[in-house]
Amino acid sequence: MAGKIKNYFAGGNTARGFYSLYESNLQGLNRIFILKGGPGTGKSSLMKAIGTEWADKDYDIEYLHCSSDNDSIDGVLIPELRVGIVDGTAPHVIEPKAPGAIEEYVNLGEAWDSKALANQKESILKISNEASKSFEAAYSTFEEALKIHDIWENIYFDHMDFSKADQLTNKLIADFYGNIYLNKQSDVRHRFLGAATPKGAVDFVPNLTEDLPKRYFIKGRAGTGKSTMLKKLASEAVNRGLDIEIYHCGFDPHSLDMLIIRELGIAIFDSTSPHEYFPSLAGDEIIDTYEEFVTPGTDEIFAEQINEISKQYKARMKEAISYLAQAKEHRDKLEAIYIEAMDFSVVDLLKNNIRKEISNMVPSTAL
């Protein structure tokens, strides 16, 4: 029986630039292999291969997906062994806490032909510059989209009944936590459930929530208190010593999209576009913030304005995604240059060294 695999993002292309939550997900690990090397040097393939091997050995695996390349991962964690392998190249630079003792750099650059790459220096610099420009254009356009989204939110915000929002939040706190107060510090993990990618919005909500008996689907409109409610629920979970996974919004990381409290078997998430889902399991329940908190008829009164704002927002988001796709095209060209200069037999040796060290971490009682 293979181990369970969780998929999520620890970094995202957002309206606030590239936003990293890697540190939160690497806390508590005893060994972290930080891979160095350019695009096309086999980092993602190495991590996938080791992740597959340990999943086949019945170990649960966590894959940290790449928001800039739908087919790549940026990290793989084996929580039971407290070990991880991560891509340590820009933009997700990992700052070592105890180099050598915990973190170990693995330089895949050992496998490339420096002379061959030197001959391609001008092309590498030009393509890298073009990729950077595309990312900058994407972040700038996402920022414009966020400003439009703020206008959209204000329409509903101005017609909210905040006392009702507080009442529902307090009810959920009582329903979720009751009299639970655990005598331990809460283990808090900050992540993204989804991300803006070169192929559009991608999320892993079904994978992350599939084994939970109680799922709450928050429906509503922009600015109807979904994120605020989640922040209050998260804060209360931490105060009570409950372990919690806090999933930030892949568009605006200052907002929250989902909480998972596995000790209680609960997930509660913003189930609106672009990660819209509907109840399908026995324990699923809908919470509609528009119906609960907003003055009836708000949609109809502001229909024309909302429609225009929606068009502007979607246009900016589509444009930003196109820039991410352009950046991916440039990075693909870079990968092709590096692949031609690589000796992948050397990468295999480095992978085997990591594999051996991880194997040595397995407790003797498990052998």
Side-chain angles (χ1 to χ4, degrees):
M1 179 179 171
K4 292 182 180 179
I5 295 175
K6 289 182 189 173
N7 300 285
Y8 55 87
F9 294 90
N13 299 305
T14 80
R16 304 181 190 279
F18 181 82
Y19 202 92
S20 175
L21 296 172
Y22 282 85
E23 186 173 348
S24 175
N25 293 286
L26 302 182
Q27 64 183 356
L29 298 182
N30 289 332
R31 196 63 167 153
I32 303 171
F33 298 94
I34 302 175
L35 306 183
K36 293 290 188 178
T41 54
K43 300 185 295 294
S44 179
S45 296
L46 184 157
M47 291 185 284
K48 285 180 179 178
I50 291 179
T52 298
E53 289 172 10
W54 286 92
D56 289 342
K57 294 177 182 178
D58 298 340
Y59 284 83
D60 292 346
I61 299 296
E62 295 180 8
Y63 284 127
L64 284 60
H65 286 254
C66 177
S67 57
S68 299
D69 184 345
N70 297 72
D71 298 321
S72 294
I73 60 170
D74 284 338
V76 59
L77 310 182
I78 311 173
E80 188 175 341
L81 299 181
R82 300 181 74 179
V83 63
I85 311 171
V86 293
D87 183 341
T89 57
H92 29 69
V93 178
I94 310 298
E95 292 294 336
K97 297 285 191 299
I102 296 176
E103 298 90 359
E104 184 74 31
Y105 285 108
V106 180
N107 182 16
L108 273 63
E110 294 178 16
W112 62 39
D113 183 340
S114 296
K115 290 183 179 179
L117 292 174
N119 291 333
Q120 296 277 0
K121 180 180 71 172
E122 296 302 323
S123 293
I124 291 172
L125 290 173
K126 180 181 178 182
I127 297 170
S128 297
N129 185 51
E130 291 298 323
S132 294
K133 287 181 179 177
S134 294
F135 277 119
E136 289 170 6
Y139 300 147
S140 176
T141 309
F142 279 132
E143 185 179 12
E144 291 176 13
L146 180 58
K147 291 176 181 177
I148 295 170
H149 196 270
D150 288 343
I151 297 171
W152 198 348
E153 287 189 347
N154 287 337
I155 292 174
Y156 294 100
F157 188 84
D158 291 342
H159 294 81
M160 279 271 294
D161 186 329
F162 293 99
S163 63
K164 288 185 178 179
D166 289 339
Q167 289 170 17
L168 178 57
T169 301
N170 290 334
K171 180 180 184 302
L172 290 174
I173 288 173
D175 291 345
F176 286 10
Y177 310 132
N179 295 319
I180 296 174
Y181 288 92
L182 303 182
N183 187 28
K184 67 178 179 65
Q185 186 172 348
S186 177
D187 184 312
V188 181
R189 305 289 167 145
H190 292 272
R191 300 166 174 169
F192 293 105
L193 63 82
T197 79
K199 293 183 179 179
V202 172
D203 74 77
F204 293 111
V205 171
N207 168 260
L208 292 165
T209 67
E210 63 188 355
D211 57 349
L212 297 170
K214 192 65 181 179
R215 303 188 301 177
Y216 293 85
F217 297 62
I218 308 177
K219 302 293 183 179
R221 310 289 189 273
T224 55
K226 300 186 294 294
S227 177
T228 300
M229 179 191 297
L230 292 175
K231 288 177 179 177
K232 290 180 179 179
L233 288 169
S235 178
E236 190 64 28
V238 172
N239 289 339
R240 292 171 183 247
L242 289 159
D243 298 342
I244 185 169
E245 299 164 27
I246 300 176
Y247 292 85
H248 294 247
C249 173
F251 171 54
D252 179 6
H254 292 179
S255 293
L256 302 185
D257 273 348
M258 179 166 74
L259 307 177
I260 294 180
I261 310 165
R262 296 191 186 275
E263 288 170 303
L264 302 182
I266 291 174
I268 179 168
F269 63 97
D270 182 337
S271 183
T272 59
S273 180
H275 34 78
E276 184 174 21
Y277 292 94
F278 296 91
S280 60
L281 303 175
D284 292 349
E285 185 174 329
I286 287 178
I287 297 171
D288 192 322
T289 57
Y290 177 79
E291 292 293 333
E292 295 281 347
F293 311 150
V294 180
T295 303
T298 299
D299 274 349
E300 291 75 15
I301 293 170
F302 296 93
E304 187 174 340
Q305 185 179 350
I306 291 169
N307 184 56
E308 181 57 33
I309 293 170
S310 175
K311 286 180 180 178
Q312 292 177 17
Y313 171 73
K314 289 177 180 177
R316 288 293 183 276
M317 292 297 286
K318 184 177 180 181
E319 182 182 354
I321 294 297
S322 73
Y323 289 129
L324 291 181
Q326 286 179 17
K328 172 68 165 55
E329 290 176 4
H330 295 312
R331 289 176 63 86
D332 287 347
K333 292 176 183 177
L334 277 179
E335 285 190 3
I337 293 174
Y338 277 86
I339 288 171
E340 285 295 317
M342 290 292 291
D343 180 350
F344 285 101
S345 65
V346 176
V347 176
D348 287 337
L349 289 174
L350 295 171
K351 178 175 65 178
N352 287 334
N353 290 339
I354 295 173
R355 180 188 288 124
K356 289 176 184 176
E357 187 168 340
I358 294 175
S359 294
N360 290 335
M361 297 175 188
V362 180
S364 57
T365 55
L367 297 175

